[in-house]
Structure formats: structure tokens, C-alpha cells
Amino acid sequence: GAGTINMTGGTFLVDGAGNFGGAGAWVFDSLTFGNGSGVAATTTAGTGSITVNETLTIATAQTLNPGVKTWILTDSDGCPCSPLINGSGGNFNAAGSTFIFNSTAATTIPTGNSHMVYFGNLTLSPAATVTYTLAGGYLSAANWVIGDGSNALTVDANTLDSVFDVSGNLTIQANATYLKSSSTTQSYIRSGGTQIVTDNTASKQDLGIVHVTIGTTVQMGSSLNVTKLEVASDVGNSLDLNGHTLTLLGSGTGASMP
């Protein structure tokens, strides 16, 4: 419906199969889908946003289809934690949705390998100087925005060895820092369409080893730094500099060439 929910404490539990949401904005302190027993799926309805001020949990064997909603995870108590928890066997199919993480405390961002989480549109935009750590493996998203253009967010992909798999646009806003993984694992830009990669920072961030594949055209929205760039030889992959500068920071010969 069009009504609103504004909970300032406690945990709201949604258990069993069905629809969830409406046209109004709903606010929860903590929100949990499933009780950890039995297999069930919840599909969101309506376009009203969902704000969770503490923790959003998808329990074991539960499926959450977030729909086209905007989900805002604030972690208002400021704990150094992950405000999104996906239980063992839980499924999170976020295609079409927008997830905004804006905690002003140190935060762990769940990833595909560690939590089986796949984002639609993902924005990391805390109003503070803080570090967000990627949880290991691949962070998978359609469009990914790092920073709000003002505050000094650091996204740490190195500590837990994380890389990205983006099928839309990637934007690093001014004053943000991206710490790439020091491993040889490659990140992917792949959609079969056109993707724009933009780094609005003054000293461009090293995006690591980046692989372009499955018929994707990468358009540079700014000058970029990478350790190594691999444009696959299959049909349709291309790189359009758009008058910008691409700097290759790696070294070596043969297979190690940047």
C-alpha cells in the first residue's frame, strides 16, 4: 500500500513466501527475511524505498528479490560491521534495485564469493572519512559508484583480496580512494554493450588488472590508471579513450606485459 512504516528499534521478521513493500517509504531498525528453517522466497512490490538503520539479514535458504526499489543501509549505531548479512544457502538477486551504503563507521561490503550477493546498482556514499572493506572474491554489480564527491571514502579491495565484476558503468567520485588487490586476479568489465568508466579523483586510482570481454565497448569518461588491461580477442570488444589518457602502471614482458 501507500502507507509508511517507521520503526526505531527491534527486528522486523518477514517469514514465508510472498510480497513485501509498497509505494510508501518504509524504515526499519533491523529487518530479517526468513527464520532459517524451510525454503521460501520474498519478492518486493512497489517503488517505495526501504531504509534499514542496523542490519538487513537474509536467513539460510531464504531468497530475497529486491525488485526496483532503493535500499538504504545506514548502520546508524556506527558499528564496524556489515549491515547486510546473507545466510548460508540464502539467495540475493538484486538486479534492477539500487543499494546505498552510507554508514559513517568502518563497514564490510558483502561480495559474490563470500556472501553470494550480486548487486544491481551499488552506491557507497558515506558522509564521513571512513574505510569500506570489500569482503573477498568478486564484488558483482551492474552500475557501481564509489564516494559522494566530497567525503574521503577509502574502498579497500586489498586486505581480503577482492576484485570487481561490473556489467554497467563504474564511477569513482572525487576525494575517494580505491585500494586494489595486490593479487594477480583480474577484474571484469563485461556486458556485451557499452560501459563508461570514470575516475573523478585528482590522482587517478590504480584499478588493478582489468579484463574486457563478451563483446563490450569500454568508453573512458576520464583518464584512467590500471596495472594491466586485457581486451579479449573475441568479436566486439573495444576501448574508446574519448580523448583521455590511459596509464599502464604494470611492468614485464610476454604474458606479464601490461
Side-chain angles (χ1 to χ4, degrees):
T4 61
I5 296 175
N6 190 358
M7 296 184 64
T8 58
T11 298
F12 191 94
L13 173 64
V14 181
D15 193 24
N19 295 327
F20 176 82
W26 290 4
V27 179
F28 300 92
D29 194 57
S30 288
L31 176 60
T32 297
F33 291 92
N35 64 0
S37 176
V39 178
T42 302
T43 299
T44 58
T47 57
S49 64
I50 302 288
T51 297
V52 181
N53 288 324
E54 300 297 342
T55 306
L56 171 62
T57 302
I58 301 112
T60 298
Q62 185 79 17
T63 295
L64 173 62
N65 299 307
V68 296
K69 288 181 175 295
T70 296
W71 298 70
I72 304 166
L73 306 185
T74 69
D75 179 29
S76 63
D77 68 354
C79 76
C81 56
S82 176
L84 173 58
I85 298 172
N86 197 30
S88 175
N91 292 298
F92 180 83
N93 181 13
S97 65
T98 296
F99 269 75
I100 299 172
F101 290 77
N102 59 14
S103 171
T104 57
T107 297
T108 299
I109 304 299
T111 57
N113 290 41
S114 59
H115 298 276
M116 299 309 294
V117 171
Y118 303 92
F119 293 102
N121 302 306
L122 175 62
T123 297
L124 310 180
S125 57
T129 298
V130 68
T131 296
Y132 284 6
T133 301
L134 304 187
Y138 284 94
L139 181 133
S140 297
N143 300 300
W144 187 20
V145 178
I146 298 173
D148 65 357
S150 177
N151 292 282
L153 168 66
T154 296
V155 172
D156 180 3
N158 186 45
T159 297
L160 297 177
D161 189 17
S162 300
V163 288
F164 58 80
D165 189 347
V166 174
S167 59
N169 298 331
L170 170 59
T171 303
I172 302 176
Q173 301 285 32
N175 298 317
T177 298
Y178 179 76
L179 302 177
K180 69 176 181 69
S181 170
S182 58
S183 77
T184 58
T185 305
Q186 60 192 10
S187 293
Y188 285 96
I189 298 176
R190 52 182 175 183
S191 66
T194 298
Q195 298 176 237
I196 302 172
V197 181
T198 305
D199 184 348
N200 291 320
T201 64
S203 55
K204 305 305 180 186
Q205 308 303 296
D206 185 353
L207 298 179
I209 302 172
V210 179
H211 189 76
V212 180
T213 187
I214 65 170
T216 299
T217 295
V218 173
Q219 292 186 349
M220 289 173 51
S222 69
S223 295
L224 299 174
N225 289 350
V226 297
T227 301
K228 180 178 182 178
L229 179 67
E230 300 174 343
V231 180
S233 60
D234 48 307
V235 176
N237 298 304
S238 63
L239 174 67
D240 185 351
L241 272 65
N242 277 336
H244 300 295
T245 299
L246 176 67
T247 302
L248 304 177
L249 300 174
S251 62
T253 60
S256 298
M257 288 179 60

